[in-house]
Amino acid sequence: MDETLGTALRRWRDRLSPTDIGRPSLPGRRAAGLRREELADLAGLSVDYVVRLEQGRATSPSAQVVASLARALQLRPVERDHAYRLAGLLPPQEGTISTHVPAGVQRMLARLGEFPVGVFSADWTLLSWSPAWAALLGDPGGRTPRERNLVRAVFATGPSGLAAWPVLQDDEALLSPALVADLRTALVAYPRDRGLIDLVEELRSTSPEFARLWNEGAVGPHVSSRKTVVHPQVGEVSCDCDVLTVPGCDLRLVVYTVAADSADAEKLEFLRVTGGVPADGPPPQGPGLFSTP
Protein backbone atom coordinates (compact mmCIF):
# COMPACT_ATOMS: atom_id res chain seq x y z
CA MET A 1 0.00 0.00 0.00
CA ASP A 2 1.36 3.40 -0.98
CA GLU A 3 2.30 5.73 1.87
CA THR A 4 0.22 8.85 2.40
CA LEU A 5 1.20 12.15 3.94
CA GLY A 6 -1.04 11.35 6.92
CA THR A 7 0.69 8.06 7.74
CA ALA A 8 4.11 9.69 7.35
CA LEU A 9 3.13 12.54 9.69
CA ARG A 10 1.95 10.08 12.34
CA ARG A 11 5.17 8.06 12.06
CA TRP A 12 7.37 11.16 12.33
CA ARG A 13 5.29 12.49 15.23
CA ASP A 14 5.55 9.19 17.13
CA ARG A 15 9.33 9.14 17.00
CA LEU A 16 9.78 12.54 18.71
CA SER A 17 9.72 12.83 22.49
CA PRO A 18 8.68 15.90 24.46
CA THR A 19 12.31 16.43 25.51
CA ASP A 20 13.26 16.79 21.83
CA ILE A 21 11.17 19.97 21.73
CA GLY A 22 12.21 21.25 25.15
CA ARG A 23 9.16 20.11 27.10
CA PRO A 24 9.09 17.84 30.17
CA SER A 25 8.04 14.22 29.81
CA LEU A 26 5.65 13.93 32.73
CA PRO A 27 4.85 10.63 34.51
CA GLY A 28 1.73 8.91 33.25
CA ARG A 29 2.03 10.34 29.75
CA ARG A 30 0.31 7.93 27.36
CA ALA A 31 1.55 9.23 24.02
CA ALA A 32 4.86 7.66 22.99
CA GLY A 33 5.74 10.64 20.84
CA LEU A 34 4.32 14.12 20.38
CA ARG A 35 0.63 14.72 20.81
CA ARG A 36 -1.27 16.27 17.93
CA GLU A 37 -1.77 19.36 20.08
CA GLU A 38 1.98 19.72 20.53
CA LEU A 39 2.68 19.32 16.82
CA ALA A 40 -0.03 21.85 15.96
CA ASP A 41 1.43 24.34 18.44
CA LEU A 42 4.96 23.91 17.08
CA ALA A 43 3.86 24.22 13.45
CA GLY A 44 1.49 27.14 14.03
CA LEU A 45 -1.53 25.15 12.84
CA SER A 46 -4.89 24.28 14.36
CA VAL A 47 -5.27 20.88 16.00
CA ASP A 48 -8.27 20.20 13.78
CA TYR A 49 -6.19 20.75 10.66
CA VAL A 50 -3.45 18.40 11.88
CA VAL A 51 -6.12 15.77 12.57
CA ARG A 52 -7.56 16.19 9.07
CA LEU A 53 -4.09 15.93 7.53
CA GLU A 54 -3.33 12.70 9.41
CA GLN A 55 -6.72 11.23 8.54
CA GLY A 56 -6.34 12.14 4.87
CA ARG A 57 -9.28 14.55 4.88
CA ALA A 58 -7.05 17.54 4.09
CA THR A 59 -5.26 16.62 0.90
CA SER A 60 -3.79 19.84 -0.48
CA PRO A 61 -1.57 21.52 2.12
CA SER A 62 0.43 24.51 0.95
CA ALA A 63 4.20 24.54 0.67
CA GLN A 64 4.29 26.84 3.70
CA VAL A 65 2.32 24.30 5.78
CA VAL A 66 4.59 21.44 4.73
CA ALA A 67 7.68 23.52 5.55
CA SER A 68 6.27 24.34 9.00
CA LEU A 69 5.49 20.67 9.67
CA ALA A 70 8.97 19.61 8.52
CA ARG A 71 10.58 22.06 10.95
CA ALA A 72 8.29 21.03 13.81
CA LEU A 73 8.94 17.32 13.18
CA GLN A 74 12.71 17.90 12.87
CA LEU A 75 12.86 16.12 9.52
CA ARG A 76 16.09 15.50 7.67
CA PRO A 77 16.32 17.16 4.22
CA VAL A 78 15.51 13.91 2.41
CA GLU A 79 12.46 13.41 4.64
CA ARG A 80 11.37 17.00 4.10
CA ASP A 81 11.52 16.47 0.33
CA HIS A 82 9.52 13.25 0.74
CA ALA A 83 6.84 15.18 2.65
CA TYR A 84 6.59 17.71 -0.18
CA ARG A 85 6.12 14.92 -2.73
CA LEU A 86 3.50 13.18 -0.60
CA ALA A 87 1.62 16.50 -0.53
CA GLY A 88 1.79 16.71 -4.32
CA LEU A 89 4.33 19.53 -4.25
CA LEU A 90 7.79 19.99 -5.68
CA PRO A 91 10.55 20.08 -3.04
CA PRO A 92 12.53 23.34 -2.76
CA GLN A 93 14.74 23.73 -5.81
CA GLU A 94 18.38 24.71 -6.10
CA GLY A 95 18.89 28.44 -6.31
CA THR A 96 16.13 29.18 -3.78
CA ILE A 97 16.42 29.94 -0.07
CA SER A 98 15.81 27.00 2.23
CA THR A 99 13.48 27.42 5.19
CA HIS A 100 14.49 24.04 6.63
CA VAL A 101 15.90 24.03 10.17
CA PRO A 102 18.00 20.90 10.82
CA ALA A 103 17.04 18.63 13.71
CA GLY A 104 20.26 19.45 15.55
CA VAL A 105 19.48 23.16 15.48
CA GLN A 106 15.92 22.46 16.63
CA ARG A 107 17.16 20.39 19.57
CA MET A 108 19.68 23.08 20.49
CA LEU A 109 16.92 25.68 20.35
CA ALA A 110 14.75 23.53 22.65
CA ARG A 111 17.53 23.12 25.19
CA LEU A 112 18.59 26.78 25.27
CA GLY A 113 15.41 27.47 27.19
CA GLU A 114 16.69 30.35 29.28
CA PHE A 115 17.93 32.40 26.32
CA PRO A 116 15.93 34.31 23.70
CA VAL A 117 17.08 32.70 20.44
CA GLY A 118 15.68 33.26 16.94
CA VAL A 119 16.58 31.26 13.83
CA PHE A 120 16.56 33.21 10.55
CA SER A 121 16.85 32.12 6.92
CA ALA A 122 19.27 33.65 4.42
CA ASP A 123 16.84 36.50 3.64
CA TRP A 124 16.40 37.21 7.36
CA THR A 125 12.93 35.72 7.75
CA LEU A 126 12.35 34.39 11.26
CA LEU A 127 11.75 30.63 11.08
CA SER A 128 11.91 29.36 14.67
CA TRP A 129 12.31 30.86 18.10
CA SER A 130 12.66 29.83 21.72
CA PRO A 131 9.89 30.48 24.27
CA ALA A 132 12.15 33.08 25.92
CA TRP A 133 12.33 34.94 22.58
CA ALA A 134 8.54 35.14 22.44
CA ALA A 135 8.33 36.20 26.09
CA LEU A 136 10.87 39.01 25.67
CA LEU A 137 10.17 40.23 22.15
CA GLY A 138 6.56 39.29 21.53
CA ASP A 139 5.20 36.04 20.11
CA PRO A 140 5.72 35.96 16.31
CA GLY A 141 3.38 32.97 15.94
CA GLY A 142 0.49 35.02 14.62
CA ARG A 143 2.61 36.80 12.00
CA THR A 144 3.02 35.82 8.38
CA PRO A 145 6.51 35.08 6.98
CA ARG A 146 6.36 38.48 5.28
CA GLU A 147 5.75 40.17 8.64
CA ARG A 148 8.55 38.14 10.23
CA ASN A 149 11.20 39.43 7.84
CA LEU A 150 13.82 41.41 9.76
CA VAL A 151 15.09 43.44 6.78
CA ARG A 152 11.59 44.59 5.92
CA ALA A 153 11.02 45.57 9.57
CA VAL A 154 14.26 47.59 9.68
CA PHE A 155 13.73 49.48 6.44
CA ALA A 156 9.94 49.79 6.34
CA THR A 157 8.56 53.30 6.70
CA GLY A 158 5.61 54.28 8.85
CA PRO A 159 4.17 52.41 11.86
CA SER A 160 5.33 48.97 10.67
CA GLY A 161 9.00 49.98 10.72
CA LEU A 162 11.45 50.61 13.53
CA ALA A 163 8.87 52.58 15.51
CA ALA A 164 7.04 49.29 16.14
CA TRP A 165 10.06 47.56 17.65
CA PRO A 166 10.51 47.17 21.38
CA VAL A 167 14.26 47.10 20.67
CA LEU A 168 16.23 50.35 20.83
CA GLN A 169 18.62 50.05 17.92
CA ASP A 170 21.76 51.56 19.44
CA ASP A 171 23.78 49.99 16.62
CA GLU A 172 21.54 50.83 13.64
CA ALA A 173 24.50 52.30 11.77
CA LEU A 174 26.11 48.84 11.87
CA LEU A 175 22.99 46.71 11.47
CA SER A 176 21.55 48.32 8.34
CA PRO A 177 24.59 47.93 6.04
CA ALA A 178 25.18 44.39 7.35
CA LEU A 179 21.64 43.38 6.42
CA VAL A 180 21.94 44.95 2.95
CA ALA A 181 25.25 43.15 2.43
CA ASP A 182 23.61 39.87 3.47
CA LEU A 183 20.85 40.30 0.89
CA ARG A 184 23.40 41.07 -1.81
CA THR A 185 25.28 37.87 -0.95
CA ALA A 186 22.02 35.91 -0.83
CA LEU A 187 21.08 37.06 -4.34
CA VAL A 188 24.31 35.57 -5.66
CA ALA A 189 23.70 32.30 -3.82
CA TYR A 190 19.97 32.08 -4.61
CA PRO A 191 19.42 33.78 -7.98
CA ARG A 192 16.15 31.92 -8.61
CA ASP A 193 14.46 32.81 -5.34
CA ARG A 194 11.45 34.90 -6.33
CA GLY A 195 10.71 36.02 -2.79
CA LEU A 196 14.24 37.36 -2.34
CA ILE A 197 14.17 39.17 -5.68
CA ASP A 198 10.80 40.74 -4.82
CA LEU A 199 12.05 41.79 -1.37
CA VAL A 200 15.05 43.63 -2.81
CA GLU A 201 12.95 45.31 -5.50
CA GLU A 202 10.32 46.32 -2.95
CA LEU A 203 12.79 47.91 -0.56
CA ARG A 204 14.75 49.65 -3.32
CA SER A 205 11.53 51.36 -4.41
CA THR A 206 10.05 52.11 -0.97
CA SER A 207 13.05 52.80 1.29
CA PRO A 208 15.45 55.61 0.32
CA GLU A 209 17.90 54.37 2.97
CA PHE A 210 17.91 50.81 1.61
CA ALA A 211 18.27 52.12 -1.96
CA ARG A 212 21.22 54.31 -0.93
CA LEU A 213 23.02 51.47 0.83
CA TRP A 214 22.30 49.09 -2.04
CA ASN A 215 23.57 51.52 -4.68
CA GLU A 216 26.69 52.25 -2.63
CA GLY A 217 27.45 48.53 -2.46
CA ALA A 218 27.19 48.54 1.34
CA VAL A 219 29.16 45.89 3.16
CA GLY A 220 29.35 45.25 6.87
CA PRO A 221 29.82 42.21 9.08
CA HIS A 222 27.51 41.38 11.95
CA VAL A 223 29.22 42.22 15.23
CA SER A 224 28.29 41.62 18.84
CA SER A 225 26.21 44.51 20.14
CA ARG A 226 24.08 45.77 23.01
CA LYS A 227 20.34 46.13 22.62
CA THR A 228 17.75 47.43 25.04
CA VAL A 229 14.32 45.82 24.93
CA VAL A 230 11.44 47.82 26.39
CA HIS A 231 8.96 45.28 27.74
CA PRO A 232 5.48 46.35 28.95
CA GLN A 233 5.82 44.24 32.13
CA VAL A 234 9.39 44.69 33.31
CA GLY A 235 10.58 47.82 31.53
CA GLU A 236 14.03 48.01 29.95
CA VAL A 237 16.12 44.84 29.57
CA SER A 238 19.66 45.37 28.25
CA CYS A 239 21.07 42.35 26.42
CA ASP A 240 24.17 41.33 24.53
CA CYS A 241 23.20 40.29 21.01
CA ASP A 242 25.30 37.84 18.99
CA VAL A 243 24.68 36.49 15.50
CA LEU A 244 25.88 32.92 14.91
CA THR A 245 25.90 31.11 11.57
CA VAL A 246 25.14 27.43 10.99
CA PRO A 247 27.57 25.93 8.46
CA GLY A 248 26.01 24.01 5.60
CA CYS A 249 22.46 25.32 5.87
CA ASP A 250 22.81 29.14 5.66
CA LEU A 251 20.93 29.94 8.86
CA ARG A 252 21.57 32.73 11.33
CA LEU A 253 20.97 32.30 15.05
CA VAL A 254 20.36 35.56 16.90
CA VAL A 255 21.03 35.04 20.61
CA TYR A 256 20.26 37.50 23.41
CA THR A 257 22.10 36.96 26.71
CA VAL A 258 22.46 38.85 29.97
CA ALA A 259 25.03 38.77 32.76
CA ALA A 260 24.29 36.22 35.51
CA ASP A 261 22.81 37.58 38.76
CA SER A 262 22.16 40.98 37.21
CA ALA A 263 18.92 42.95 37.33
CA ASP A 264 18.47 42.18 33.63
CA ALA A 265 18.84 38.45 34.39
CA GLU A 266 16.10 38.69 37.03
CA LYS A 267 13.78 40.40 34.56
CA LEU A 268 14.52 37.84 31.84
CA GLU A 269 13.93 34.94 34.25
CA PHE A 270 10.63 36.46 35.32
CA LEU A 271 9.52 36.73 31.70
CA ARG A 272 10.72 33.20 30.95
CA VAL A 273 8.73 31.74 33.85
CA THR A 274 5.57 33.73 33.13
CA GLY A 275 5.89 33.52 29.35
CA GLY A 276 5.48 37.28 29.25
CA VAL A 277 1.84 36.87 30.28
CA PRO A 278 0.51 39.08 33.10
CA ALA A 279 -0.90 37.18 36.08
CA ASP A 280 -4.23 39.00 35.82
CA GLY A 281 -4.91 38.57 32.13
CA PRO A 282 -3.74 37.92 28.56
CA PRO A 283 -0.42 39.26 27.28
CA PRO A 284 -0.32 42.91 26.25
CA GLN A 285 -1.30 43.57 22.66
CA GLY A 286 1.32 46.24 22.19
CA PRO A 287 4.13 46.10 19.62
CA GLY A 288 6.11 42.91 19.24
CA LEU A 289 9.41 42.51 17.43
CA PHE A 290 7.82 42.58 13.98
CA SER A 291 4.43 43.91 14.90
CA THR A 292 2.19 45.79 12.57
CA PRO A 293 -0.84 47.84 13.61
Side-chain angles (χ1 to χ4, degrees):
M1 181 178 179
D2 292 338
E3 184 177 42
T4 66
L5 178 61
T7 58
L9 291 177
R10 289 194 298 272
R11 184 180 71 252
W12 289 325
R13 178 167 60 82
D14 287 343
R15 77 181 183 187
L16 279 180
S17 72
T19 55
D20 289 326
I21 62 170
R23 300 184 182 183
S25 183
L26 301 176
R29 181 185 173 96
R30 294 181 180 180
L34 295 186
R35 296 189 178 99
R36 290 191 179 99
E37 295 82 0
E38 291 168 329
L39 174 58
D41 181 52
L42 288 170
L45 305 171
S46 70
V47 178
D48 176 69
Y49 188 63
V50 170
V51 171
R52 289 190 287 119
L53 280 172
E54 291 193 351
Q55 293 179 347
R57 293 187 289 118
T59 57
S60 301
S62 67
Q64 182 179 331
V65 165
V66 175
S68 296
L69 287 167
R71 287 195 296 270
L73 291 165
Q74 301 182 7
L75 302 186
R76 300 189 304 274
V78 65
E79 294 172 327
R80 175 207 61 191
D81 292 351
H82 185 56
Y84 273 89
R85 295 188 180 98
L86 289 176
L89 301 167
L90 287 175
Q93 303 298 300
E94 289 188 15
T96 59
I97 291 173
S98 174
T99 60
H100 181 67
V101 180
V105 175
Q106 291 276 48
R107 287 191 290 269
M108 180 175 63
L109 193 66
R111 285 165 172 77
L112 290 175
E114 67 178 286
F115 297 125
V117 184
V119 181
F120 291 81
S121 59
D123 65 349
W124 282 98
T125 295
L126 183 62
L127 302 176
S128 297
W129 53 89
S130 65
W133 176 283
L136 178 65
L137 299 169
D139 187 359
R143 305 295 176 187
T144 66
R146 174 184 174 85
E147 292 168 335
R148 295 202 304 266
N149 184 270
L150 175 62
V151 187
R152 182 176 282 112
V154 168
F155 288 101
T157 56
S160 63
L162 283 177
W165 286 40
V167 179
L168 305 180
Q169 289 293 344
D170 301 329
D171 62 340
E172 183 184 347
L174 298 175
L175 176 64
S176 296
L179 290 176
V180 173
D182 274 355
L183 286 198
R184 189 184 300 279
T185 301
L187 266 182
V188 175
Y190 309 104
R192 297 169 55 191
D193 193 281
R194 190 67 248 175
L196 175 61
I197 295 170
D198 290 345
L199 174 63
V200 172
E201 291 178 351
E202 170 195 333
L203 293 177
R204 291 185 71 183
S205 63
T206 60
S207 169
E209 177 66 6
F210 182 92
R212 180 185 67 80
L213 291 170
W214 186 271
N215 293 335
E216 290 177 354
V219 295
H222 292 280
V223 296
S224 297
S225 60
R226 291 282 289 174
K227 296 185 188 296
T228 300
V229 179
V230 182
H231 194 278
Q233 279 186 269
V234 299
E236 293 187 359
V237 184
S238 294
C239 307
D240 290 310
C241 177
D242 293 280
V243 179
L244 314 177
T245 58
V246 182
C249 56
D250 211 0
L251 297 176
R252 291 106 170 103
L253 272 63
V254 177
V255 184
Y256 287 83
T257 59
V258 294
D261 301 321
S262 65
D264 292 312
E266 292 180 2
K267 293 177 181 179
L268 194 58
E269 176 64 11
F270 174 81
L271 293 175
R272 188 186 69 81
V273 172
T274 63
V277 180
D280 57 352
Q285 297 302 307
L289 177 58
F290 306 111
S291 77
T292 53

